[in-house]
Amino acid sequence: MPAPRHPRILALAAAAFAAACGPKEAAQAPGAPAAPAASAEAPLLRLVATDFAFTGPDTVAPGFTTVRLVNHGPSLHHVQLVRLEQGKTLADLGAATQHEGPLPAWAVLVGGPNAAAPNDSMSAQLTLEAGNYAVICVIPGSDMVPHVAKGMARPLTVAGTPGTSAEPATADTMRLADYGFTFSRPLTAGHHVIRVENAASQPHEVVLVRLAPGKTAKDFADWAMTMAGPPPAMPAGGATGIAPGGHNLILADLAPGEYALVCFFPDAKDGKPHVAHGMLHQVTVS
């Protein structure tokens, strides 16, 4: 599939983590946290990423679903789910991305788990409506070519009898605006299920990173522009691009420390990443 119209989606985030998230031992390190548990008994859509492909089911039932990304590749990967309306297909999406500008209205960004390091996993929960979807990774490699352009895309059909799992109520809500993040309450250490709502006028994402001791959100944003020296943060979760009015639940196990929230999604007007418009926030987890 050709490179998407949004080649800068997570481009800076990928560059920022590429050096930090090199190949790891396949076995989990002693004392490392397990993958966050799902917040409800929702059906599981498990997608395994390699360089450069996804494997997983071709069809899933509609309804509230846990989407789990398992990264078996040596590179950073994420899951961007795109609902294809008006009978469009993955091939149509590829053709549409040949031109600059926002995606067509029939390509609806519904989110998914954000970047997972090699031999790690990330999860997000969302309601899948019946229809055709594209599963893509638009993180670029060191050559700055998005993985989708290297074949990291597959179709997904959502059809059949809807599941009966209901979306749970959550105590933590994160709202995405043009251009900022707000929380319903301060984040604390431990397991969290965070409802991420896009209340803005254009698509947004959230990249959640844990900052190294003494580093700030601005340090991370500045470093992402140049990649000079060691990375000042490591990925801790998040949700990929969500259209206005949409939402995901993200699952995160937070240790005490400093965290940054960043949106690298390109602006609908000038194409600059939203972090350049101030969509950067630092929070203390205690």
Side-chain angles (χ1 to χ4, degrees), residues 110-128:
V110 297
N114 220 323
N119 297 306
D120 201 356
S121 64
M122 289 291 175
S123 296
Q125 295 183 310
L126 61 153
T127 297
L128 295 174

Side-chain angles (χ1 to χ4, degrees), residues 91-226:
D92 294 322
L93 181 63
T97 60
Q98 293 298 301
H99 309 286
E100 293 296 327
L103 290 171
W106 48 260
V108 181
L109 300 170
V110 297
N114 220 323
N119 297 306
D120 201 356
S121 64
M122 289 291 175
S123 296
Q125 295 183 310
L126 61 153
T127 297
L128 295 174
E129 299 178 10
N132 295 324
Y133 288 72
V135 181
I136 63 176
C137 177
V138 298
I139 293 178
S142 58
D143 56 5
M144 300 310 294
V145 176
H147 293 163
V148 66
K150 299 179 179 182
M152 201 160 182
R154 64 176 286 139
L156 175 70
T157 300
V158 178
T161 303
T164 58
S165 296
E167 181 175 328
T170 59
D172 297 296
T173 298
M174 179 196 306
R175 290 183 175 85
L176 313 180
D178 298 333
Y179 302 92
F181 305 91
T182 57
F183 281 90
S184 58
R185 65 175 186 171
L187 287 179
T188 57
H191 178 70
H192 287 268
V193 181
I194 304 171
R195 179 182 170 99
V196 178
E197 299 178 347
N198 186 357
S201 62
Q202 60 178 303
H204 288 292
E205 63 162 349
V206 57
V207 178
L208 175 64
V209 299
R210 186 180 182 190
L211 296 166
K215 299 299 181 179
T216 67
K218 186 176 184 304
D219 291 332
F220 169 69
D222 291 344
W223 182 85
M225 299 295 182
T226 64

Side-chain angles (χ1 to χ4, degrees), residues 84-95:
L84 306 174
E85 300 182 339
Q86 301 177 21
K88 300 297 185 180
T89 66
L90 182 62
D92 294 322
L93 181 63

Side-chain angles (χ1 to χ4, degrees), residues 31-42:
S39 64
E41 293 299 323

